[in-house]
Amino acid sequence: MVTGGCGYIGSHTVVALIENGFEVLILDDLSNSNKEVLDRIKTITGTRPKLLEVDLKNSFLCDNMFCYNKNIEAVIHFAAHKAVSESVEKPLMYYHNNLYALINVLVAMEKYNINNFIFSSSATVYGNPEILPITEQNKTQRPFSPYGNTKKVAEEIIADITNSNKDFTAISLRYFNPIGAHDSGQLGELPNGIPNNLMPYITQTAVGVRETLSVFGNDYPTKDGTPIRDYIHVIDLAEAHVIAVQRLLENKQETSFETFNLGTGNGYSVLEIINTFQKVINQKINYTITERRPGDVPILYSDIAFAKEKLGWVAKRNLENMISTAWKWEQNYRQEQN
Ligand code: NAD
Ligand code: UD1
């Protein structure tokens, strides 16, 4: 069962799961995605996964999903709202959606005795880290946004359950900065309204939907003054989910709740991303330096050793590939709209 399987990371993961022989059931309320994604998955894999349209905040409906689908072996839980600035304006909406959906799924899993759970977490749980690169042993901090805090609280809830129920096993995957798209140009990121994240803002500026990209501050203590992040290809992330599910199904986990960072270990500044983008697509984009964005930290990048050792997973795709696939998706999507 893949909750939020019609979304950006979920849809790429569904493709990877189908390609690895899994039968997938998607639960999604389509609040930030579209049914069309099922046809796109079919074009890529030859299989149209089943979608049950449901708001997982609703405990009765959530229970029904499990009650009528008794052969579920594992749940990958992507379903959540994810816009950081919106969560600052509407914290209750974020705590309500992200935590109710999580709890309803966990309650149903306990009731129907389903014991394998993968959770979508985020590097945001490390706050502004004192030690770089960030290992899983780094202390977590209260994230600055309510969105980020839903991830931290969710991990605490999952930890309590794995402590109390010895049959229940979980893996939390802390993503760094997912970008890129499927090679086919059929799947990619489609943010609602004005993008908050860097890559979709860049591709929308290059394609002419946005006029100018704002670079939020160039006075950070980094080589060119702009913040450094660990950008990771969404397909690499998807592959890590397949490995994580297999680990749980084959009982290979060493503790009942494991946490892994998913990044490449490489940090790129905002200006490096813009310059590489311009090189890859051979086109200039308009950008201007503006004020810092509140809550941004100077440098975040992952230590990849733990995921490599325990999961046997490393990200394979480089920045050029992340950029060229994101660009192909943006262009394809805009052409389809015309
Ligand atoms: P997304 O918005 O594209 O996908 C989330 C999906 O969940 C959407 O299809 C949405 O319709 C669905 N959903 C939301 N609330 C729901 C509910 N109550 N019931 C049923 N479905 C619901 O987001 P994404 O980028 O694919 O992110 C997937 C997960 O990864 C999220 O939990 C997100 O917080 C986490 N994450 C994302 C990033 C990132 O940069 N994209 C980084 C770290 C963590
Ligand atoms: C953000 C969230 C993080 C969330 C992640 C995925 C914040 C503080 N953090 O990470 O909690 O898990 O998205 O949704 O919002 N930038 C610009 N101009 C833009 C957009 C971004 O200069 O128009 C810069 C930012 O200052 C940052 C970098 O690009 O330095 C990456 O930004 P973004 O893609 O939003 O990711 P994060 O801020 O790392």
Side-chain angles (χ1 to χ4, degrees):
M1 176 183 283
V2 180
T3 76
C6 290
Y8 171 47
I9 305 170
S11 59
H12 288 85
T13 302
V14 169
V15 166
L17 287 166
I18 293 171
E19 284 171 344
N20 281 277
F22 286 91
E23 194 183 329
V24 177
L25 172 66
I26 298 176
L27 303 190
D28 202 305
D29 67 354
L30 305 178
S31 56
N32 197 35
S33 52
N34 198 300
K35 255 189 210 154
E36 225 182 63
V37 84
L38 302 174
D39 298 325
R40 297 174 180 276
I41 293 172
K42 181 163 185 217
T43 306
I44 296 168
T45 64
T47 303
R48 196 174 199 276
K50 187 169 162 195
L51 164 70
L52 298 173
E53 215 177 309
V54 60
D55 180 350
L56 294 167
K57 286 198 293 298
N58 183 316
S59 59
F60 174 74
L61 294 179
C62 179
D63 181 276
N64 270 350
M65 297 300 122
F66 285 82
C67 182
Y68 294 108
N69 293 285
K70 288 264 165 52
N71 55 349
I72 304 297
E73 287 180 84
V75 176
I76 307 183
H77 185 58
F78 291 105
H81 292 329
K82 63 162 183 177
V84 173
S85 51
E86 185 181 50
S87 80
V88 175
E89 283 157 31
K90 301 175 186 168
L92 260 187
M93 176 183 163
Y94 273 69
Y95 288 116
H96 187 199
N97 191 61
N98 295 4
L99 296 180
Y100 272 51
L102 171 78
I103 291 167
N104 289 339
V105 167
L106 291 171
V107 166
M109 287 180 74
E110 186 172 78
K111 178 167 169 191
Y112 297 101
N113 201 24
I114 301 161
N115 288 312
N116 299 306
F117 186 68
I118 310 277
F119 179 66
S120 284
S121 189
S122 165
T124 193
V125 299
Y126 295 114
N128 188 4
E130 280 157 27
I131 304 166
L132 288 162
I134 302 170
T135 72
E136 290 77 357
Q137 275 68 52
N138 269 55
K139 267 201 220 108
T140 58
Q141 299 173 15
R142 191 193 186 286
F144 108 98
S145 72
Y147 160 74
N149 205 33
T150 66
K151 296 298 176 191
K152 185 162 182 293
V153 172
E155 287 194 351
E156 288 165 6
I157 293 172
I158 298 163
D160 287 341
I161 296 170
T162 52
N163 282 336
S164 74
N165 175 353
K166 65 176 175 18
D167 296 325
F168 189 79
T169 55
I171 292 179
S172 181
L173 299 174
R174 292 175 177 165
Y175 316 152
F176 279 65
N177 289 58
I179 59 170
H182 194 267
D183 288 331
S184 62
Q186 284 289 319
L187 287 179
E189 189 170 9
L190 194 57
N192 263 341
I194 301 172
N196 292 300
N197 297 116
L198 181 63
M199 187 49 64
Y201 210 107
I202 291 180
T203 56
Q204 290 194 11
T205 307
V207 89
V209 177
R210 313 270 153 220
E211 223 166 85
T212 308
L213 167 75
S214 298
V215 172
F216 299 138
N218 65 351
D219 57 351
Y220 286 92
T222 61
K223 50 195 162 186
D224 59 23
T226 61
I228 290 176
R229 294 289 181 273
D230 184 341
Y231 296 90
I232 174 161
H233 201 301
V234 67
I235 307 271
D236 281 317
L237 272 193
E239 289 173 357
H241 287 76
V242 174
I243 293 171
V245 175
Q246 284 163 341
R247 184 174 174 85
L248 292 184
L249 292 177
E250 291 163 14
N251 283 318
K252 286 191 179 150
Q253 72 281 358
E254 291 174 8
T255 57
S256 56
F257 185 25
E258 294 180 320
T259 299
F260 295 101
N261 287 346
L262 297 182
T264 64
N266 303 313
Y268 292 100
S269 73
V270 175
L271 289 180
E272 281 175 327
I273 297 290
I274 295 172
N275 290 335
T276 312
F277 185 86
Q278 296 184 136
K279 233 181 263 163
V280 168
I281 75 157
N282 198 21
Q283 181 187 318
K284 291 264 173 225
I285 59 164
N286 288 330
Y287 69 87
T288 169
I289 310 287
T290 64
E291 296 276 282
R292 287 184 179 198
R293 180 172 68 177
D296 278 346
V297 301
I299 309 176
L300 282 180
Y301 61 94
S302 170
D303 187 312
I304 60 168
F306 193 58
K308 187 174 177 187
E309 186 196 330
K310 301 293 178 191
L311 299 178
W313 172 89
V314 280
K316 296 185 216 124
R317 292 157 183 87
N318 64 19
L319 183 62
E320 283 74 14
N321 187 281
M322 300 180 213
I323 287 173
S324 61
T325 52
W327 180 230
K328 183 173 179 182
W329 157 250
E330 185 73 58
Q331 287 178 302
N332 272 8
Y333 179 75
R334 298 297 158 189
Q335 260 164 20
E336 282 174 16
Q337 301 310 299
N338 288 332

